[in-house]
Amino acid sequence: MAKVYEFLATGFEDIEALTTVDVLRRAGHEVVTLSISDEREVVSAHGVTILADGLLADADLSDADLLLLPGGMPGSSNLNESAEVHQALEAHAARRGYIGAICAAPIVLASAGLLDGRRATCYPGFENYFPAMSIYTGEVVCHDGNIITANGPAAALPYAYELTRLFSAEEDVEALKEGMMFNRLMQG
């Protein structure tokens, strides 16, 4: 079972944050949501208030297998402005731990220097924040080493399945997709 931490900032994109939590938990992995503010209540970009499991300031991330950044605005900007988020990402990357970011959130990875020489994707237009030495792919989901990125709200399920593949057997991921009727959706 993997240990996953997802950072939540005011203005996060609902579907991107909650889909990953849902799919990873369905697969049996432990996911802990962490508010980056001093309150556990976090309001999404669409006005939905959720109660995070804890606060980033109180968390010990030394057991993390994966750190997640949902997109959305101003959520991604709020994540990017947090020194604690940057410190956590840099420490985790130094351990070669997995990091996922979707939609606008890859700008946080770019700002932290984690996309240098990497392939990545994001919501169209936010690639302008990528360093010159990174490679914007425009793919729905892009996996380069320990960095997994996705391009927007519609990518939430494919992104969540890719993240699940990091820690689950392929047949288990396929069974999960089948049980969630994802394969049927993709067949038309």
Side-chain angles (χ1 to χ4, degrees), residues 139-181:
E139 297 171 321
V140 173
V141 178
C142 182
H143 187 156
D144 186 345
N146 65 323
I147 304 288
I148 302 91
T149 53
N151 70 358
L157 275 172
Y159 171 66
Y161 295 134
E162 184 66 22
L163 295 170
T164 304
R165 274 189 190 87
L166 298 171
F167 312 108
S168 299
E170 184 62 30
E171 58 268 15
D172 294 335
V173 175
E174 287 305 313
L176 183 62
K177 288 167 62 176
E178 189 65 33
M180 293 179 72
M181 300 184 68

Side-chain angles (χ1 to χ4, degrees), residues 99-120:
I99 299 172
I102 185 171
C103 194
I107 66 171
V108 183
L109 305 183
S111 181
L114 301 179
L115 294 186
D116 295 352
R118 298 295 194 106
R119 297 172 61 251

Side-chain angles (χ1 to χ4, degrees), residues 24-175:
L24 285 161
R25 285 182 178 173
R26 284 176 193 249
H29 303 295
E30 183 179 355
V31 183
V32 178
T33 57
L34 297 173
S35 169
I36 69 163
S37 74
D38 58 357
E39 296 181 17
R40 288 180 53 206
E41 287 187 351
V42 186
V43 180
S44 76
H46 302 286
V48 177
T49 301
I50 71 158
L51 185 64
D53 298 316
L55 303 178
L56 176 56
D58 298 335
D60 174 5
L61 304 176
S62 63
D63 63 346
D65 295 300
L66 171 64
L67 299 181
L68 292 177
L69 304 175
M73 290 303 274
S76 295
S77 293
N78 291 334
L79 290 170
N80 201 30
E81 292 169 6
S82 169
E84 285 181 307
V85 168
H86 279 261
Q87 290 167 357
L89 292 172
E90 291 163 9
H92 194 64
R95 293 189 299 271
R96 301 292 301 154
Y98 288 108
I99 299 172
I102 185 171
C103 194
I107 66 171
V108 183
L109 305 183
S111 181
L114 301 179
L115 294 186
D116 295 352
R118 298 295 194 106
R119 297 172 61 251
T121 193
C122 63
Y123 194 85
F126 286 94
E127 72 275 10
N128 297 326
Y129 296 92
F130 285 13
M133 64 284 281
S134 67
I135 302 162
Y136 170 67
T137 67
E139 297 171 321
V140 173
V141 178
C142 182
H143 187 156
D144 186 345
N146 65 323
I147 304 288
I148 302 91
T149 53
N151 70 358
L157 275 172
Y159 171 66
Y161 295 134
E162 184 66 22
L163 295 170
T164 304
R165 274 189 190 87
L166 298 171
F167 312 108
S168 299
E170 184 62 30
E171 58 268 15
D172 294 335
V173 175
E174 287 305 313

